[in-house]
Amino acid sequence: MIGVCARADTDGNSERCTFRADGSMILTVTSFSTESCCDYVTIGSMRYSGTTGPDNVAMSSGQTLTWYTDGSVTSTGFVICGAVQGALIFSPPPPPP
């Protein structure tokens, strides 16, 4: 798979960030911890916060993932990776005998 990861090593105060998918992809969450009431990731109309991130969520080309935090409590943040759908990785041929 070919992909990219977005990470917030700490969930700081008053953060804003938007990522746009360059192609269709499936997201996986390595870690996710935000202030459940007020710090969140949105993809389309879905909002993710607390310890429930967008694991195994599909994003289409041009769709955005937005990160928002308020100005109070902080947490450990997140690592969200996206694997491009349909990408192929070719293994090298075996060595000759």
Side-chain angles (χ1 to χ4, degrees):
M1 290 186 281
I2 298 173
V4 65
C5 294
R7 72 185 307 137
D9 290 327
T10 58
D11 161 358
N13 289 322
S14 302
E15 295 180 338
R16 312 283 184 281
C17 188
T18 299
F19 300 89
R20 182 176 311 278
D22 286 338
S24 297
M25 61 179 63
I26 299 293
L27 302 179
T28 56
V29 175
T30 303
S31 63
F32 195 91
S33 180
T34 70
E35 181 186 14
S36 54
C37 71
C38 309
D39 301 344
Y40 52 85
V41 167
T42 58
I43 301 170
S45 62
M46 293 297 299
R47 182 181 285 192
Y48 303 90
S49 63
T51 57
T52 304
D55 197 35
N56 203 31
V57 169
M59 285 184 71
S60 57
S61 182
Q63 192 171 23
T64 59
L65 178 154
T66 302
W67 166 237
Y68 169 87
T69 66
D70 69 350
S72 63
V73 177
T74 62
S75 192
T76 57
F78 61 84
V79 177
I80 301 170
C81 298
V84 177
Q85 293 179 321
L88 298 176
I89 301 293
F90 294 97
S91 298

